[in-house]
Amino acid sequence: MREVSDEILRTIKYALDRKKIRCDRTYQTIIVDIVKKGYVILDECGCERTVQCSIPGLELRVFQSVWVKEPRGNLNELHICGVAVKRDKGRR
């Protein structure tokens, strides 16, 4: 039975290695600058990227913590999708 489960896992690993899975990724980052084209943020690799905010009428500021979404793993569609809220250390 062990051999069957090992073979199933090898097949799954092979399939995942051959095809890149495209899925949405959301992560927290900060705004490092505001320019005419949008907000400059740091992506997961630490590179600066200029993105738009998907929340209408929201004004953001430099060093504000935000959530960004990378739809289907496409960095060209990276955008701000939320504002990260600081919580008090004494509250839960």
Side-chain angles (χ1 to χ4, degrees), residues 31-41 49-53 60 62 80:
I31 297 173
V32 294
D33 197 10
I34 301 173
V35 295
K36 198 172 195 175
K37 290 186 176 185
Y39 299 95
V40 180
I41 56 107
R49 300 203 177 264
T50 303
V51 299
Q52 299 296 314
C53 181
L60 300 170
V62 176
I80 296 172

Side-chain angles (χ1 to χ4, degrees), residues 1 16 18 24 41-42 46 72 77-79 81-83 85 87-88:
M1 192 63 164
L16 291 175
R18 289 195 65 218
D24 290 356
I41 56 107
L42 297 175
R72 297 173 308 283
E77 296 180 17
L78 188 67
H79 62 277
C81 64
V83 177
V85 179
R87 296 189 184 259
D88 293 336

Side-chain angles (χ1 to χ4, degrees), residues 87-92:
R87 296 189 184 259
D88 293 336
K89 290 183 180 180
R91 295 177 59 188
R92 291 183 182 222

Side-chain angles (χ1 to χ4, degrees), residues 4 10 17 22 27 48-49 55 57 59 70 74 85 87-88 90:
V4 173
R10 275 195 296 274
D17 289 343
R22 297 274 191 189
Y27 51 91
E48 290 186 352
R49 300 203 177 264
I55 305 169
E59 291 185 29
E70 186 180 309
N74 187 348
V85 179
R87 296 189 184 259
D88 293 336

Side-chain angles (χ1 to χ4, degrees), residues 57-68:
L58 183 64
E59 291 185 29
L60 300 170
R61 24 179 228 289
V62 176
F63 300 119
Q64 188 168 8
S65 185
V66 293
W67 289 97
V68 293

Side-chain angles (χ1 to χ4, degrees), residues 5 8-9 11 16 18-19 54 65 76 78 81 84 89:
S5 62
I8 291 170
L9 290 175
T11 304
L16 291 175
R18 289 195 65 218
K19 178 161 176 87
S54 66
S65 185
N76 292 329
L78 188 67
C81 64
K89 290 183 180 180

